[in-house]
Amino acid sequence: MSGSNPVSLYVHVPFCRSICHYCDFRRQIYRRETAQAWLDALEAELKETPRAESLETIYIGGGTPSALEEEELARLFSLLSPWAEHVKEYTMEINPETMRRPLGKLLRDYGINRISAGLQSVSPRLLKLTNRKAGKNETEAMAKMLREYGIDNLSLDLMYSMPDETIDDLSESIDFAVSLSPAHLSLYSLTIEENSVFGKQGVKAQEEDIEADRYEYIVRRLQELGYQQYEISNFAHPGKESIHNVNVWNYHDFIGIGYGAHGKDGDHRYTHADSLRAYLSDPLYRKVTPLTREERMFESLMMGMRLKCGMDRHLFQERFGKDVTEVYPRTIEKERKLGMIALSDDYLFCSDRGYFLLNSVLEEFLEEADL
Ligand code: SF4
């Protein structure tokens, strides 16, 4: 890890209490013995990972971190305590049905100050279809309990473009989510992954034009409800944007700990062993993918342009010793003339139309990058 300057730490918890039908993440059903062995492996990995003074955020994701039992979570949090001393944002993912008072106490005692919870939909029909366990009651109870323990920085995930979903399903889900006053909302369209239950059943998501209409609706509706879009799929009250994710989109280095996590360290990316069994027997194994300078320049642009404010030109210059206009002169000129992108002194960013068609804008850059 020499020469790196990671600002974020991601820890992946690969356990869930049930499996959602759209999911192909690295996860498996929780079992106590496996969780114990996983914690041992995680401890070994953390011991060998140099602690970064520059760390601003910790994000415990999964899987479902709250699928772990109290004593396992207490061990995980105490392993992370030395890393957490100076972080500004400490997030954990929760599924609402796993919220309980002892967990609230643990979160408060260990300084977890932001919760990202999966709601996805309030439609009982869609929850059943996707095998999600929490609806309105569980999510409302979770939000209330978190606030009792002083955790007010809540993000809710919703999903759209699910099979048979109507615009009323989506609007009801958004209105319910907003009624809980979360500081942040993430809305992702359903992707059918080959290895998910849906993929194996041959389930189809909505047509692309319906998906695009839903997206337009979401952007408009959330703006009316006081949420600012700051990334393609993310909306927040002013000042409540996810610091962790913004760091990733700004292409900063981050440490990834645990099976299923990946990290970025200067000129390479890494993942861990590709099965939990392999991770348990060698938690220090890292599969490294080197990145050329051209790849890093393109990735930096691709990630930065996801942000509504755009890609930070100063960061780009600092990293690569060149202004972005020197690297992609043809595309910048062409897309500016088409009204898809614009430049300020600080940012290269998309127009409203360009933002909506971001993938095609990025394809033009990729062509010029000639990777
Ligand atoms: S979507 Fe989340 S909760 Fe559902 S199975 Fe996948 S990791 Fe687990």
Side-chain angles (χ1 to χ4, degrees):
M1 309 269 293
S2 60
S4 68
N5 195 25
V7 292
S8 299
L9 171 72
Y10 174 79
V11 180
H12 188 81
V13 180
F15 305 108
C16 294
R17 292 285 171 159
S18 57
I19 301 299
C20 308
H21 288 170
Y22 52 81
C23 178
D24 81 334
F25 296 156
R26 303 267 170 135
R27 46 55 186 156
Q28 60 187 62
I29 292 288
Y30 169 84
R31 272 213 210 89
R32 181 180 287 267
E33 318 75 67
T34 321
Q36 296 295 336
W38 170 78
L39 276 163
D40 292 342
L42 201 81
E43 182 167 2
E45 189 189 352
L46 279 168
K47 232 183 235 163
E48 292 304 316
T49 308
R51 206 173 311 142
E53 296 301 324
S54 46
L55 219 58
E56 291 181 355
T57 66
I58 297 178
Y59 192 108
I60 306 176
T64 311
S66 54
L68 294 171
E69 299 287 349
E70 266 66 64
E71 67 276 18
E72 293 155 354
L73 280 166
R75 184 172 165 204
L76 172 63
F77 295 155
S78 77
L79 286 174
L80 293 173
S81 280
W83 296 75
E85 268 170 31
H86 306 296
V87 298
K88 297 186 223 164
E89 185 186 89
Y90 193 168
T91 305
M92 188 173 98
E93 290 180 353
I94 281 185
N95 268 345
E97 73 278 12
T98 59
M99 187 64 206
R100 62 268 187 195
R101 286 184 190 284
L103 171 59
K105 186 174 177 324
L106 274 178
L107 295 169
R108 183 193 60 199
D109 292 351
Y110 282 94
I112 287 82
N113 58 17
R114 184 172 182 273
I115 292 297
S116 174
L119 168 60
Q120 315 310 352
S121 176
V122 295
S123 153
R125 190 181 85 261
L126 294 174
L127 291 172
K128 186 159 182 242
L129 181 77
T130 51
N131 199 32
R132 296 285 306 179
K133 305 300 176 196
K136 286 183 179 176
N137 293 344
E138 294 80 2
T139 309
E140 199 166 3
M142 174 199 71
K144 189 163 173 273
M145 216 180 278
L146 285 170
R147 289 191 171 116
E148 279 170 29
Y149 286 96
I151 302 169
D152 201 34
N153 195 356
L154 172 65
S155 176
L156 291 175
D157 283 2
L158 291 175
M159 186 172 272
Y160 66 98
S161 202
M162 290 183 268
D164 299 330
E165 170 201 274
T166 65
I167 189 73
D168 288 344
D169 291 325
L170 178 60
S171 106
E172 198 192 334
S173 297
I174 290 178
D175 288 352
F176 172 76
V178 168
S179 75
L180 302 178
S181 307
H184 186 281
L185 287 159
S186 301
L187 285 97
Y188 295 102
S189 67
L190 172 69
T191 313
I192 305 288
E193 306 290 351
E194 214 180 308
N195 288 322
S196 66
V197 174
F198 276 169
K200 289 179 187 147
Q201 289 173 342
V203 168
K204 300 264 175 278
Q206 302 268 8
E207 299 291 328
E208 267 181 30
D209 52 344
I210 296 183
E211 183 184 335
D213 287 349
R214 297 275 151 87
Y215 181 67
E216 258 184 88
Y217 170 79
I218 288 165
V219 171
R220 196 181 60 244
R221 183 77 186 124
L222 287 179
Q223 195 170 353
E224 284 164 8
L225 292 166
Y227 290 85
Q228 279 177 8
Q229 182 177 26
Y230 71 100
E231 194 266 350
I232 294 285
S233 310
N234 287 278
F235 305 79
H237 285 149
K240 293 294 184 183
E241 299 82 7
S242 158
I243 303 172
H244 184 88
N245 289 339
V246 169
N247 281 341
V248 173
W249 292 313
N250 276 326
Y251 206 56
H252 290 300
D253 285 346
F254 58 96
I255 302 169
I257 297 286
Y259 160 69
H262 66 276
K264 184 174 87 67
D265 185 10
D267 59 2
H268 63 274
R269 248 181 283 132
Y270 58 86
T271 54
H272 295 74
D274 56 12
S275 72
L276 181 56
R277 185 191 292 259
Y279 175 72
L280 297 184
S281 61
D282 185 3
L284 302 185
Y285 171 78
R286 285 184 176 185
K287 185 178 169 202
V288 171
T289 309
L291 296 164
T292 64
R293 183 177 147 81
E294 286 67 32
E295 284 169 333
R296 283 184 286 129
M297 286 197 281
F298 179 71
E299 286 190 352
S300 185
L301 173 111
M302 180 179 71
M303 302 292 277
M305 295 291 275
R306 292 185 63 93
L307 289 166
K308 189 84 180 167
C309 65
M311 191 209 69
D312 186 323
R313 291 174 72 178
H314 305 294
L315 274 177
F316 192 94
Q317 171 89 41
E318 217 172 273
R319 276 180 196 132
F320 306 112
K322 277 184 173 184
D323 186 64
V324 67
T325 53
E326 297 173 72
V327 183
Y328 306 103
R330 262 199 342 261
T331 310
I332 291 181
E333 199 191 332
K334 180 178 161 199
E335 296 295 311
R336 274 179 90 180
K337 278 191 184 143
L338 289 170
M340 304 292 264
I341 60 169
L343 279 167
S344 68
D345 289 347
D346 302 324
Y347 293 97
L348 170 67
F349 58 98
C350 284
S351 64
D352 285 349
R353 197 159 75 90
Y355 204 47
F356 201 69
L357 298 169
L358 180 62
N359 285 344
S360 27
V361 173
L362 291 174
E363 271 167 31
E364 294 286 332
F365 278 100
L366 184 58
E367 209 168 290
E368 187 168 0
D370 195 23
L371 296 175

